[in-house]
Structure formats: C-alpha cells, structure tokens
Amino acid sequence: MAFDSFRDFVNALDAAGELIRISQPVATELEITEIADREMKLPGGGKALLFEKPTVNGVVSPFPVAINTLGSHKRMAMSMGAESVDEVANELGALMKAKPPTSFKEAIKLLSLALDLRHAKPKTVKSGSCKDVIQKFDAPASSNSWPPAPDWQKGTNPNPPTLANLPILKCWPLDGGRFITLPCVVTRDPDTGERNLGMYRIQIYDDQTTGMHWQLQKVAARHGRRYYERGERMPVAIFIGGDPMFPFAATAPMPDGLDEFLLAGYLRKKSVELVKCETNDLEVPANADFVIEGYIDPTEPLRDEGPFGDHTGYYTLPEPYPVFHITAITHRKDAVYPATIVGIPPMEDFYIGGASVKLFLPIFKMNFPEIVDIALPAEGVVHKLVFVSI
Ligand SMILES: Cc1cc2nc3c(=O)[nH]c(=O)nc-3n(C[C@H](O)[C@H](O)[C@H](O)COP(=O)(O)O)c2cc1C
C-alpha cells in the first residue's frame, strides 16, 4: 500500500490504535528521547508517538514529531501494507524462484528483475508537495526566521525554516548536538550516474552546515571518494518522511548499484514519483515531507562528527567526516517530522533490521539452501550478532 505522506501513515497508525498523541509541549532537547525510550522498551515495542507540540529552545515548532512509527512487528508490516513481513518476504521469494540463480551475482540481477516485475521503477514528475514551501540559501539565511509567522501553514511565510528551527532532536546528554535520525540521503556515482539511497545520521553544526556520517564501507562514501578524486563538488540531497518505505529502503542492505527506490516502489506497490531538486540535479520523492539540498566540497577538510549515543548503547566518539553545505530546504505545508532514537536495545531499529533480514532471507536461501532461518537478536544491537540456523 502506498502512503501519500508520512502524515497519512501516522493517521493509519492512529486508526489502528497504534499511536499515542501527546498534545503537551515537549522539548526536542532530551525530553522526547526520554519518553520515546520508555515506550520502545515496552514489550513488543509499545506504540508510535506523535508529539504535536515539540519545542525547539522553548518555542513550539509548527511541525509535529513522529517517533517509533516502525517500532513493532505490526507497525513494520503496516508500513508495507501487509498483515506480516513474512507475507511480503514469501511473495518476493516466490517471484525469484521462477528461475533459481546459480551465483550471488545472478541472484542480485534476479532481485532487480523481480522488483521490476511489479512495474515499480521510479518515475520523474514535474512537481510535488515536497515543494509546497521553498527556501533557497544562496544568501545567508535571515537570522530573524524564528519564531514562525502565523501564516506558516499556508506556505506564504516570508521566513521559511532553517535547520535551526526544524524539530530536530538532541537525543542523549553527551551528544555533540542535534541529529536528524531518520534521514534518507541521495547521492550519485559520478562515473556511472547510478543513484544510491542510504540512511546516515546528520549532525547539525549550524543553520547551513551539517556532518555527513557515511561510514567508509557505505555506498555514498564510495561515491564521495570518486568526487574527491575528481576534485568536483558532490551534490547531495537529504529527504525526510514521505512514504515510510523510504526510510526502510534507505536502511535495507541493497547491493551497490541496485536502486533503493525500486525496492520502495515494489514494497508500496506503486512507483515512486521523483522530482528534481531546486539547487542540484538529484531527484527526491515528490511526496517527501522535508528536503534538504546541498553539496560536499572536496577541497574542504573533514570535520569531527559526534559524539553520538549510538545503536550499541554507548557513545561513538568524535571522528572526522565530510561537511555538508545546505543550498535549499523545501517542505510540505502539512509536514510531519519523523525521527527515531538509537541506544541501549531494544529500540525501533530492532524491528527495522528484523524486517530487512526477513525480506532478504529468500535471496540468501537461494545461494545457501541449507539456511533455515536468520535472526538478529535485540542484544546484538542490529548489526553485531547474527544467528543462522542451518
Ligand atoms: C536508525 C539508523 C541509523 C543509521 N545510521 C547510520 C549512520 O549514521 N551511518 C552509516 O554509515 N550507517 C547508518 N545506518 C546503517 C545504514 O543505513 C545501512 O547500512 C544502509 O544499508 C546503508 O546504505 P548503503 O549500503 O546504500 O550505503 C543506520 C541505520 C539505521 C536503521
């Protein structure tokens, strides 16, 4: 099932009794984390939470914060429009069984064909709700852009948002600052033009610069190295929200070169509609809630990112990463800001990672038929421990 916006998904969760609305003001600095952490620790992952009046430095943000929306088996399945993730995995497995692959490389090719069978290829459209409000930053952002004017929701606000006033969380006391925790990062291979979508946390340095925490082995980091070698500016687009299949696809272990938007389109049973960014040539989903456009300058030195309270339940210490410069922020009029927190397990990422493994199990099984099942126990903090039964 395709959701037209993150708000649509939140409303579906609400109708299914899977959402708690919090109408009191709650601070984006540490308070939302405290409440969300308690909820995520409940048996089965608790409920999704919608903070209707998140505050940034004491001022209520116009954008509600949704958190723990994928944090249970049921909500993960709902995001795919299915009764269970197994159901989706079995369907994908059946599609691929038509012609069993003889190698892992062939399995990947087959996966691409299987995804395509549903006519799930992304398509480019002229415009979309992600551009209801457009703010470009060719000149420095105005310093008086906060608090928002009352006509904000009509998209006519003369001072649309800067990073400083989106309801971005400071998760843990010793974190290096505020972090976007469910960002979908779009990059392109400068040699082949192939696109990648990955989830890499974004630390806010100031109104117009952030960190870019793609670990060395990630696809976007490989793209980045090519831009550094070529000495060319690297365009990057970060989007937040839209269909919940976007953040899921961004975290899924898709092979380098296979488009995550194809997977998202397959899972939501509808092609992803993409629009070109305002200030670079990358494309983002037309129905995203927020889009942050910009670039990385290969001549600029790396900058320390972190510390950050990480998946392990410990802080990762500051390490040098590229700096991302923002050239535009666009958003829907009725945008919802989706977030998550990571930390001492179990957290929401346990359900996201579990769904990924289920989905890709039929592909592993084709190459290793002796595999019966795979589990990522919560204690293994998603990617540090895998049980395989054979
Ligand atoms: C909530 C969450 C946060 C994540 N944060 C990061 C991160 O900061 N850096 C990173 O390299 N990977 C992070 N990951 C893992 C990547 O999203 C994952 O490895 C993904 O497959 C990367 O895509 P790629 O293989 O296309 O690079 C995160 C995953 C989740 C679920």
Side-chain angles (χ1 to χ4, degrees), residues 103-141:
S103 67
F104 194 65
K105 210 169 160 195
E106 205 184 308
I108 299 307
K109 211 167 137 204
L110 209 63
L111 171 65
S112 163
L113 286 176
L115 295 179
D116 211 17
L117 271 183
R118 211 179 234 166
H119 306 292
K121 267 200 182 127
K123 59 178 178 214
T124 305
V125 295
K126 283 220 157 65
S127 191
S129 337
C130 71
K131 295 188 190 236
D132 283 349
V133 177
I134 297 173
Q135 166 78 328
K136 293 187 193 170
F137 297 111
D138 357 282

Side-chain angles (χ1 to χ4, degrees), residues 181-182 196-201 213-215 218-220 250-254 260 311 340 342 349 352:
T181 51
L182 273 183
N196 189 69
L197 178 65
M199 180 168 292
Y200 320 111
R201 71 178 185 234
H213 185 258
W214 46 52
Q215 293 157 335
K218 302 299 164 80
V219 176
T251 64
M254 289 281 276
E260 279 84 0
H311 299 269
T340 191
V342 297
D349 53 1
I352 301 174

Side-chain angles (χ1 to χ4, degrees), residues 242-254:
D243 192 296
M245 279 305 91
F246 302 151
F248 176 72
T251 64
M254 289 281 276

